Every structure is written in C-alpha cells, then in structure tokens.
Amino acid sequence: MNARMSWFNVTAVALGLAFLYLPMLIVVIYSFNASKLVTVWGGFSTHWYGVLFANQDFLDAAMVSVRIGLMSATLATVLGTMAAYVMVRGGTFPGRTLFSGLVYAPLVMPEVIMGLSMLLLFIAVGLDRGQGTIMLAQATLEMCFVCVVVSSRLATHDRAMDEAAMDLGCTPAKVFWLVTLPNIAPAILSGWLLAFSMSLDDLVMASFTSGPSSTTLPLRLYSSVRTGVSPEINALSSLVIGVVALGLVTTAVINRKTMQRRHRREPDAAQVSRATRNGHHIQLGKQR
Amino acid sequence: MRRFVLIAIPFTWLVVLFLVPFLMAFKISLTQTATAIPPYTPTFDAASGWQGLKDYLGQLSFDNYEFLTTDDLYWKAYLSSLWIAARSTAITLLVGFPIAYGMARAPRHIQPTLVLLVILPFWTSFLIRIYAWMGLLANEGLINHFLMWTGLISEPIVMLNTPFAVYLGITYAYLPLMVLPLYSTLERLDASLIEAAQDLGCSRVKAFWLVTVPLARHGIVAGCFLVFIPAIGEFVIATLLGGSSTLMIGKVLFEEFFANRDWPVAASVAVLLLLILIVPIMAFQRVQTRLQEQEARA
C-alpha cells in the first residue's frame, strides 16, 4: 500500500501521534513552572529541578534502579541470546514444546501473577528479599523479550557464512564468536536496551520482590504519585523522558548508519523481500 | 555436550524461576493463613519422609477457593475486570485502526520514522505516562481549567477516579501494542486488491469491509489480545486513575497481599486469574504462530 495519502490518513496519523505525545509534553512544560500550584502557570523556572536534586530519597532510589537495571539487563541478554539460539538453531530435543512455551508465556503473563508467584518461591527457599531478588525476577521476564528480538535477527542470519567459516577450519565456538555474534550484535544491543528500560520501568514485580534498602525509582515515584501531582514529580518525569528519548534517538542513528553501511555491501534481506513483494526491481546501484 | 549445556542453562532458568513459582503459588493457594514467617500453613518439611508428605497433603484444602465464591467481592472483581478490559480493547481497536491504516498508506520512506514514533512512548515509563493523565484529568486539572476558561462549562467535570479515566488510561498506555501488529499486516496488504474490488463495483466502504478487514484479521486479533490480556490484570491504571470507584482484580490481589497479608487467598486469586487467562493466552499464541508463518511465506 503506498502513494495515495488522503486527508483522512494524514489526520488519523497526526491525531494519533498528538494523543501519544501531548500528555508527556505537558508534563515537561509544567516541570519548568515557577508556581507551586501544578495547574497555574507562574513563569519559567528550573526551581523544581533544584528541589529534586536536593532530595536524597530520589537520588538513592535512582542509584538502586540503575544498578539493578544494569545487572538484570545483562543477565537477561545472556540468557535471552542463549534461548534465541536454542529456538532458532536448537533443532529438536526432548521438551522443546515446553521450552518454547516457557519462553513465550512470560510475554503475555500479567505481572501481578509473575510477581506474586516469584515472591512465594523466594520465601519458600529462604532467599532474603532485596536488590538480588528484584534482579532475578526482572531478568526472567526480560530474557523472553530479548529472546524474541534476537531470534528474529538470528532467523535472517545467512547460515552459509557459518558453514564457510566451518569449512575454513573454525570450531563451532569460533564460528559463533567471529561470524554469528558480530552479525546479530545490533539485535543483542537493542535487546539489552529493551531489557534495561523495562527494568527501570518495572513497578509491579519490584513491589512484590523488594525488601528493605531496595526501593527502586518506580517504587519511590509510585508512593509519591499516589498522594497527587506535584511539580517535583514533573521534573523527575521530564528527566526520565529526556534520558529515554536521548538513548532511543542515539540508537536509531547508530542503527541507520550500520544499515547504510550494510546496504553498500549487500542489500538487507528484509528489504529485498519487501521490495520484491511490491514488485519493484531491486537496483543495487541506487543504494550506493 | 556443548549443545546440551546451551539448552540446559536457559531451560533450567525458566523452569526454576517461572514454572516452579506457579506450582508454588498453586500449592500455597491450598493452605491456610498463619501469623508466622512464612505466613501460611502447613509448610512442607522434606525431612519428615513419606508419612510427612501424606500428612501434608491431607492438610491441603480448597477452602480458599470456596471462600472466593462466597464473598461476592471476588467474582464481581473478576467480571468487572473482564468487562473493563473488553471495552477498552474495543476502544483501543477503534482508535488504533485509523492510525495503523494511515501509517501503512504513508510514503514508504517515512514509514520507519512513524513506526519509531509509535514505539517511542512505549519505552518511556509506564508510570509517568499514567501520571501525566492524573494532571490532565483532575478537577483542578488542565482539561477542566481549559474548558472553564473557554466558558463551555462552569463546574469542573469529575473525570479522575471514574471508569472513564480507566478506559482512557488503558487505551493510551496500550495503543502502541494495538497499532504495531495492525500496521504490520496492513503494510503488507496489496492495494491492487482494493482497486480490483472497486472495479468490480464495490463502494469504498464495502471494499474496506470485504477486503481490508478480512486480510488484516490476524493483526486485529493479535493487537486485541496484546491489549486485553495485560488490561485484565491491570493494577497501576486501576489505582491511579480509577481510584476507589473501580473494581479490578489486580487491585484486589494487591490489597489481599499487602494490606490484608492473606497470602493463601492472594495466591488463589492469582491462580484463578491465570485459569481465566489461559484460554486467551493459548489463542493468542496460535494467532502469533500463524502471523509468523504468514510472514515467512511472504
């Protein structure tokens, strides 16, 4: 589907994007409000950012969140990549159906159920609740998302390259490190970023599996949000939105650059299939 | 050998931290509350051997599930969760479809940017996006302020802590999950099929119903499940936007667990919720495999 862009389509997309972005934009604008009242505009000020940075509770919670996020995302990436490799290249083995069920079930499972049942496990085996238990719980959920991201990339990876390396005398391990891994690296990176941002965002599972001294940023934020809207929270939210937006734009730019570099060498498999689907001729010269 | 290790590590992890916890939850849902750590009884002691196991099994009971049926709070919460989730899924579909359709019809070179713009809010904090609506919907909030300023209303409309706020919150929070699968099926749709239908005498509207919708049905179904399943267990939106007026099972579970400290009942609420969700989850997985097959064929 292409070409004709009616006024209806333009309006639909524009209204949709406005619906998605306006509320967040308003939060950012009001974080610069000098007035103590949230709804009354009292002039531009960065006052509330100062108040926020003087609040030790939030700083501590942010540190805890980042630490848990780094650990759980890394763990989830390693496990998720392994799971993806098993899903795509594992062939058949006893329990494969169970395995793929276990990989995909957490994607759709309500977090309250996962959080509650993991807590019950931690209590039963006598594991003290804290940053470690939050990390284990989050890594389990995140590894499934990493697996989906990585396995879709792995499925398009040309096996002939691996076979060529094998013919040239590489051991299977060497093939993985020198050929397969560099090829799926962008997917692994975006899987890690997804896992990290999920961890920074997680409230439900963290509230079940947290203990004393493991208050994450969402937990802290939630307990202050419940009492109502405050300018300080607006400032904090704006910072979170800013950091995420910056990270995403950076990865988008990096992705685009690597894609362009790949295009110059070989047209992307997905692009080729899409182009052929639309009956276009693939002109390699154009991409140069 | 290497292959065995590679399979065993993620497999064991998922069994220990995903499958076993459910079995634990099921087991605890059959126990009774106790004022101790852990706050339920009986607890199983592996050292007591076969006789211990038999005694232990004898003490398990379905009392908690019976309790759930006697107190009408629970089944009301289940029903209203299903109802709220179903209605907000329908609303999300109505809002999301035109967006996805417009995106699929946009010039090809800006489509990746549009996809990125739709995904982007999903990466920013869920909690903050819900919080943003609290500021907009409150009685002294921006929307009421604006409406009173224009003179359309003289009294603020109560929007926060109503079911309306919950529907709005779910639609807003899960819209990307609806738009993306819809877009990916609509994007693949062959425009010449619609032209053909019109050549054969279909009106635009008729062509839409007879060609576009059936061809996009996998995307529609996938999007609906992606919204419906998490919406049923929704806790954050129900608490922050719905307040005390909205009854949802996720909130009941939280209260049972954190406020009443009745772990066995909380566990049985969770087990029952899972049983209710198993059918939609299985159905979703079937649609998902079919979507993937479709993609592989294309």
PDB file of all heavy atoms in Angstrom, chain A residues 71-96:
ATOM      1  N   MET A  71      22.409  -4.901  35.961  1.00  0.00           N
ATOM      2  CA  MET A  71      22.637  -6.325  36.216  1.00  0.00           C
ATOM      3  C   MET A  71      21.573  -7.183  35.552  1.00  0.00           C
ATOM      4  O   MET A  71      21.889  -8.167  34.882  1.00  0.00           O
ATOM      5  CB  MET A  71      22.673  -6.589  37.722  1.00  0.00           C
ATOM      6  CG  MET A  71      23.922  -6.044  38.387  1.00  0.00           C
ATOM      7  SD  MET A  71      24.145  -6.666  40.070  1.00  0.00           S
ATOM      8  CE  MET A  71      22.711  -6.024  40.903  1.00  0.00           C
ATOM      9  N   SER A  72      20.293  -6.800  35.738  1.00  0.00           N
ATOM     10  CA  SER A  72      19.233  -7.669  35.206  1.00  0.00           C
ATOM     11  C   SER A  72      19.258  -7.654  33.678  1.00  0.00           C
ATOM     12  O   SER A  72      19.045  -8.688  33.049  1.00  0.00           O
ATOM     13  CB  SER A  72      17.868  -7.248  35.734  1.00  0.00           C
ATOM     14  OG  SER A  72      17.432  -6.073  35.129  1.00  0.00           O
ATOM     15  N   ALA A  73      19.535  -6.494  33.077  1.00  0.00           N
ATOM     16  CA  ALA A  73      19.553  -6.438  31.607  1.00  0.00           C
ATOM     17  C   ALA A  73      20.685  -7.292  31.046  1.00  0.00           C
ATOM     18  O   ALA A  73      20.511  -7.994  30.047  1.00  0.00           O
ATOM     19  CB  ALA A  73      19.690  -4.997  31.139  1.00  0.00           C
ATOM     20  N   THR A  74      21.846  -7.252  31.709  1.00  0.00           N
ATOM     21  CA  THR A  74      22.976  -8.033  31.208  1.00  0.00           C
ATOM     22  C   THR A  74      22.697  -9.536  31.329  1.00  0.00           C
ATOM     23  O   THR A  74      22.884 -10.299  30.384  1.00  0.00           O
ATOM     24  CB  THR A  74      24.250  -7.668  31.994  1.00  0.00           C
ATOM     25  OG1 THR A  74      24.392  -6.241  31.967  1.00  0.00           O
ATOM     26  CG2 THR A  74      25.469  -8.300  31.387  1.00  0.00           C
ATOM     27  N   LEU A  75      22.199  -9.905  32.508  1.00  0.00           N
ATOM     28  CA  LEU A  75      21.843 -11.307  32.721  1.00  0.00           C
ATOM     29  C   LEU A  75      20.790 -11.750  31.712  1.00  0.00           C
ATOM     30  O   LEU A  75      20.900 -12.818  31.089  1.00  0.00           O
ATOM     31  CB  LEU A  75      21.299 -11.447  34.144  1.00  0.00           C
ATOM     32  CG  LEU A  75      21.213 -12.840  34.755  1.00  0.00           C
ATOM     33  CD1 LEU A  75      22.582 -13.475  34.788  1.00  0.00           C
ATOM     34  CD2 LEU A  75      20.650 -12.758  36.168  1.00  0.00           C
ATOM     35  N   ALA A  76      19.771 -10.908  31.523  1.00  0.00           N
ATOM     36  CA  ALA A  76      18.678 -11.250  30.610  1.00  0.00           C
ATOM     37  C   ALA A  76      19.185 -11.369  29.179  1.00  0.00           C
ATOM     38  O   ALA A  76      18.716 -12.217  28.416  1.00  0.00           O
ATOM     39  CB  ALA A  76      17.584 -10.201  30.695  1.00  0.00           C
ATOM     40  N   THR A  77      20.159 -10.530  28.818  1.00  0.00           N
ATOM     41  CA  THR A  77      20.680 -10.580  27.451  1.00  0.00           C
ATOM     42  C   THR A  77      21.429 -11.872  27.200  1.00  0.00           C
ATOM     43  O   THR A  77      21.264 -12.516  26.157  1.00  0.00           O
ATOM     44  CB  THR A  77      21.592  -9.372  27.191  1.00  0.00           C
ATOM     45  OG1 THR A  77      20.879  -8.190  27.531  1.00  0.00           O
ATOM     46  CG2 THR A  77      22.002  -9.313  25.741  1.00  0.00           C
ATOM     47  N   VAL A  78      22.256 -12.279  28.173  1.00  0.00           N
ATOM     48  CA  VAL A  78      22.991 -13.538  28.010  1.00  0.00           C
ATOM     49  C   VAL A  78      22.018 -14.709  27.902  1.00  0.00           C
ATOM     50  O   VAL A  78      22.074 -15.511  26.959  1.00  0.00           O
ATOM     51  CB  VAL A  78      23.958 -13.746  29.202  1.00  0.00           C
ATOM     52  CG1 VAL A  78      24.605 -15.122  29.124  1.00  0.00           C
ATOM     53  CG2 VAL A  78      25.022 -12.659  29.222  1.00  0.00           C
ATOM     54  N   LEU A  79      21.075 -14.778  28.845  1.00  0.00           N
ATOM     55  CA  LEU A  79      20.113 -15.890  28.843  1.00  0.00           C
ATOM     56  C   LEU A  79      19.204 -15.835  27.618  1.00  0.00           C
ATOM     57  O   LEU A  79      18.906 -16.866  27.006  1.00  0.00           O
ATOM     58  CB  LEU A  79      19.257 -15.830  30.110  1.00  0.00           C
ATOM     59  CG  LEU A  79      19.963 -16.169  31.416  1.00  0.00           C
ATOM     60  CD1 LEU A  79      19.135 -15.719  32.608  1.00  0.00           C
ATOM     61  CD2 LEU A  79      20.213 -17.664  31.502  1.00  0.00           C
ATOM     62  N   GLY A  80      18.758 -14.617  27.265  1.00  0.00           N
ATOM     63  CA  GLY A  80      17.851 -14.473  26.132  1.00  0.00           C
ATOM     64  C   GLY A  80      18.516 -14.839  24.820  1.00  0.00           C
ATOM     65  O   GLY A  80      17.884 -15.455  23.944  1.00  0.00           O
ATOM     66  N   THR A  81      19.796 -14.475  24.678  1.00  0.00           N
ATOM     67  CA  THR A  81      20.511 -14.841  23.451  1.00  0.00           C
ATOM     68  C   THR A  81      20.675 -16.351  23.359  1.00  0.00           C
ATOM     69  O   THR A  81      20.496 -16.944  22.295  1.00  0.00           O
ATOM     70  CB  THR A  81      21.889 -14.148  23.426  1.00  0.00           C
ATOM     71  OG1 THR A  81      21.699 -12.759  23.629  1.00  0.00           O
ATOM     72  CG2 THR A  81      22.586 -14.378  22.103  1.00  0.00           C
ATOM     73  N   MET A  82      20.996 -16.973  24.495  1.00  0.00           N
ATOM     74  CA  MET A  82      21.084 -18.439  24.511  1.00  0.00           C
ATOM     75  C   MET A  82      19.750 -19.049  24.111  1.00  0.00           C
ATOM     76  O   MET A  82      19.698 -19.970  23.282  1.00  0.00           O
ATOM     77  CB  MET A  82      21.441 -18.927  25.922  1.00  0.00           C
ATOM     78  CG  MET A  82      22.879 -18.744  26.313  1.00  0.00           C
ATOM     79  SD  MET A  82      23.024 -19.201  28.042  1.00  0.00           S
ATOM     80  CE  MET A  82      24.488 -20.182  27.972  1.00  0.00           C
ATOM     81  N   ALA A  83      18.683 -18.547  24.705  1.00  0.00           N
ATOM     82  CA  ALA A  83      17.354 -19.085  24.408  1.00  0.00           C
ATOM     83  C   ALA A  83      17.021 -18.901  22.928  1.00  0.00           C
ATOM     84  O   ALA A  83      16.460 -19.799  22.301  1.00  0.00           O
ATOM     85  CB  ALA A  83      16.305 -18.408  25.287  1.00  0.00           C
ATOM     86  N   ALA A  84      17.394 -17.743  22.367  1.00  0.00           N
ATOM     87  CA  ALA A  84      17.118 -17.477  20.956  1.00  0.00           C
ATOM     88  C   ALA A  84      17.883 -18.466  20.082  1.00  0.00           C
ATOM     89  O   ALA A  84      17.349 -18.999  19.109  1.00  0.00           O
ATOM     90  CB  ALA A  84      17.518 -16.045  20.607  1.00  0.00           C
ATOM     91  N   TYR A  85      19.133 -18.712  20.466  1.00  0.00           N
ATOM     92  CA  TYR A  85      19.960 -19.647  19.708  1.00  0.00           C
ATOM     93  C   TYR A  85      19.330 -21.038  19.733  1.00  0.00           C
ATOM     94  O   TYR A  85      19.246 -21.714  18.710  1.00  0.00           O
ATOM     95  CB  TYR A  85      21.374 -19.683  20.304  1.00  0.00           C
ATOM     96  CG  TYR A  85      22.415 -20.140  19.316  1.00  0.00           C
ATOM     97  CD1 TYR A  85      23.005 -19.238  18.441  1.00  0.00           C
ATOM     98  CD2 TYR A  85      22.799 -21.478  19.246  1.00  0.00           C
ATOM     99  CE1 TYR A  85      23.938 -19.644  17.523  1.00  0.00           C
ATOM    100  CE2 TYR A  85      23.741 -21.897  18.334  1.00  0.00           C
ATOM    101  CZ  TYR A  85      24.306 -20.977  17.467  1.00  0.00           C
ATOM    102  OH  TYR A  85      25.227 -21.386  16.545  1.00  0.00           O
ATOM    103  N   VAL A  86      18.843 -21.429  20.919  1.00  0.00           N
ATOM    104  CA  VAL A  86      18.195 -22.731  21.048  1.00  0.00           C
ATOM    105  C   VAL A  86      16.919 -22.771  20.205  1.00  0.00           C
ATOM    106  O   VAL A  86      16.649 -23.755  19.511  1.00  0.00           O
ATOM    107  CB  VAL A  86      17.868 -23.034  22.526  1.00  0.00           C
ATOM    108  CG1 VAL A  86      17.028 -24.288  22.657  1.00  0.00           C
ATOM    109  CG2 VAL A  86      19.145 -23.170  23.327  1.00  0.00           C
ATOM    110  N   MET A  87      16.142 -21.675  20.234  1.00  0.00           N
ATOM    111  CA  MET A  87      14.880 -21.644  19.491  1.00  0.00           C
ATOM    112  C   MET A  87      15.112 -21.757  17.989  1.00  0.00           C
ATOM    113  O   MET A  87      14.390 -22.449  17.284  1.00  0.00           O
ATOM    114  CB  MET A  87      14.111 -20.342  19.774  1.00  0.00           C
ATOM    115  CG  MET A  87      13.528 -20.224  21.154  1.00  0.00           C
ATOM    116  SD  MET A  87      12.293 -21.466  21.502  1.00  0.00           S
ATOM    117  CE  MET A  87      11.007 -20.940  20.394  1.00  0.00           C
ATOM    118  N   VAL A  88      16.130 -21.025  17.495  1.00  0.00           N
ATOM    119  CA  VAL A  88      16.336 -20.970  16.041  1.00  0.00           C
ATOM    120  C   VAL A  88      17.193 -22.130  15.546  1.00  0.00           C
ATOM    121  O   VAL A  88      16.916 -22.730  14.515  1.00  0.00           O
ATOM    122  CB  VAL A  88      16.967 -19.617  15.642  1.00  0.00           C
ATOM    123  CG1 VAL A  88      17.224 -19.568  14.147  1.00  0.00           C
ATOM    124  CG2 VAL A  88      16.054 -18.481  16.049  1.00  0.00           C
ATOM    125  N   ARG A  89      18.248 -22.464  16.296  1.00  0.00           N
ATOM    126  CA  ARG A  89      19.216 -23.453  15.824  1.00  0.00           C
ATOM    127  C   ARG A  89      19.205 -24.747  16.605  1.00  0.00           C
ATOM    128  O   ARG A  89      19.951 -25.660  16.293  1.00  0.00           O
ATOM    129  CB  ARG A  89      20.645 -22.871  15.942  1.00  0.00           C
ATOM    130  CG  ARG A  89      20.899 -21.617  15.148  1.00  0.00           C
ATOM    131  CD  ARG A  89      21.155 -21.939  13.711  1.00  0.00           C
ATOM    132  NE  ARG A  89      21.483 -20.764  12.951  1.00  0.00           N
ATOM    133  CZ  ARG A  89      22.699 -20.256  12.823  1.00  0.00           C
ATOM    134  NH1 ARG A  89      23.706 -20.816  13.437  1.00  0.00           N
ATOM    135  NH2 ARG A  89      22.900 -19.187  12.096  1.00  0.00           N
ATOM    136  N   GLY A  90      18.402 -24.808  17.638  1.00  0.00           N
ATOM    137  CA  GLY A  90      18.492 -25.948  18.559  1.00  0.00           C
ATOM    138  C   GLY A  90      18.047 -27.274  17.977  1.00  0.00           C
ATOM    139  O   GLY A  90      18.342 -28.320  18.522  1.00  0.00           O
ATOM    140  N   GLY A  91      17.293 -27.231  16.867  1.00  0.00           N
ATOM    141  CA  GLY A  91      16.763 -28.471  16.325  1.00  0.00           C
ATOM    142  C   GLY A  91      15.723 -29.044  17.271  1.00  0.00           C
ATOM    143  O   GLY A  91      15.123 -28.306  18.047  1.00  0.00           O
ATOM    144  N   THR A  92      15.523 -30.352  17.202  1.00  0.00           N
ATOM    145  CA  THR A  92      14.561 -30.940  18.124  1.00  0.00           C
ATOM    146  C   THR A  92      15.299 -31.548  19.297  1.00  0.00           C
ATOM    147  O   THR A  92      16.395 -32.070  19.170  1.00  0.00           O
ATOM    148  CB  THR A  92      13.733 -32.041  17.437  1.00  0.00           C
ATOM    149  OG1 THR A  92      14.632 -32.929  16.786  1.00  0.00           O
ATOM    150  CG2 THR A  92      12.775 -31.452  16.430  1.00  0.00           C
ATOM    151  N   PHE A  93      14.690 -31.444  20.461  1.00  0.00           N
ATOM    152  CA  PHE A  93      15.225 -32.081  21.663  1.00  0.00           C
ATOM    153  C   PHE A  93      14.035 -32.342  22.568  1.00  0.00           C
ATOM    154  O   PHE A  93      12.982 -31.714  22.416  1.00  0.00           O
ATOM    155  CB  PHE A  93      16.283 -31.197  22.342  1.00  0.00           C
ATOM    156  CG  PHE A  93      15.807 -29.818  22.682  1.00  0.00           C
ATOM    157  CD1 PHE A  93      15.190 -29.546  23.898  1.00  0.00           C
ATOM    158  CD2 PHE A  93      15.985 -28.770  21.785  1.00  0.00           C
ATOM    159  CE1 PHE A  93      14.761 -28.271  24.209  1.00  0.00           C
ATOM    160  CE2 PHE A  93      15.554 -27.479  22.097  1.00  0.00           C
ATOM    161  CZ  PHE A  93      14.944 -27.226  23.318  1.00  0.00           C
ATOM    162  N   PRO A  94      14.195 -33.279  23.497  1.00  0.00           N
ATOM    163  CA  PRO A  94      13.068 -33.562  24.380  1.00  0.00           C
ATOM    164  C   PRO A  94      12.683 -32.307  25.171  1.00  0.00           C
ATOM    165  O   PRO A  94      13.564 -31.623  25.711  1.00  0.00           O
ATOM    166  CB  PRO A  94      13.591 -34.672  25.306  1.00  0.00           C
ATOM    167  CG  PRO A  94      15.020 -34.864  24.983  1.00  0.00           C
ATOM    168  CD  PRO A  94      15.325 -34.180  23.716  1.00  0.00           C
ATOM    169  N   GLY A  95      11.405 -31.996  25.203  1.00  0.00           N
ATOM    170  CA  GLY A  95      10.964 -30.835  25.959  1.00  0.00           C
ATOM    171  C   GLY A  95      10.972 -29.552  25.163  1.00  0.00           C
ATOM    172  O   GLY A  95      10.863 -28.473  25.725  1.00  0.00           O
ATOM    173  N   ARG A  96      11.108 -29.647  23.858  1.00  0.00           N
ATOM    174  CA  ARG A  96      11.167 -28.435  23.062  1.00  0.00           C
ATOM    175  C   ARG A  96       9.862 -27.633  23.131  1.00  0.00           C
ATOM    176  O   ARG A  96       9.876 -26.408  23.217  1.00  0.00           O
ATOM    177  CB  ARG A  96      11.464 -28.763  21.597  1.00  0.00           C
ATOM    178  CG  ARG A  96      12.034 -27.563  20.878  1.00  0.00           C
ATOM    179  CD  ARG A  96      12.040 -27.660  19.380  1.00  0.00           C
ATOM    180  NE  ARG A  96      11.806 -26.325  18.876  1.00  0.00           N
ATOM    181  CZ  ARG A  96      12.781 -25.485  18.554  1.00  0.00           C
ATOM    182  NH1 ARG A  96      14.030 -25.849  18.642  1.00  0.00           N
ATOM    183  NH2 ARG A  96      12.505 -24.273  18.154  1.00  0.00           N
TER     184      ARG A  96
END
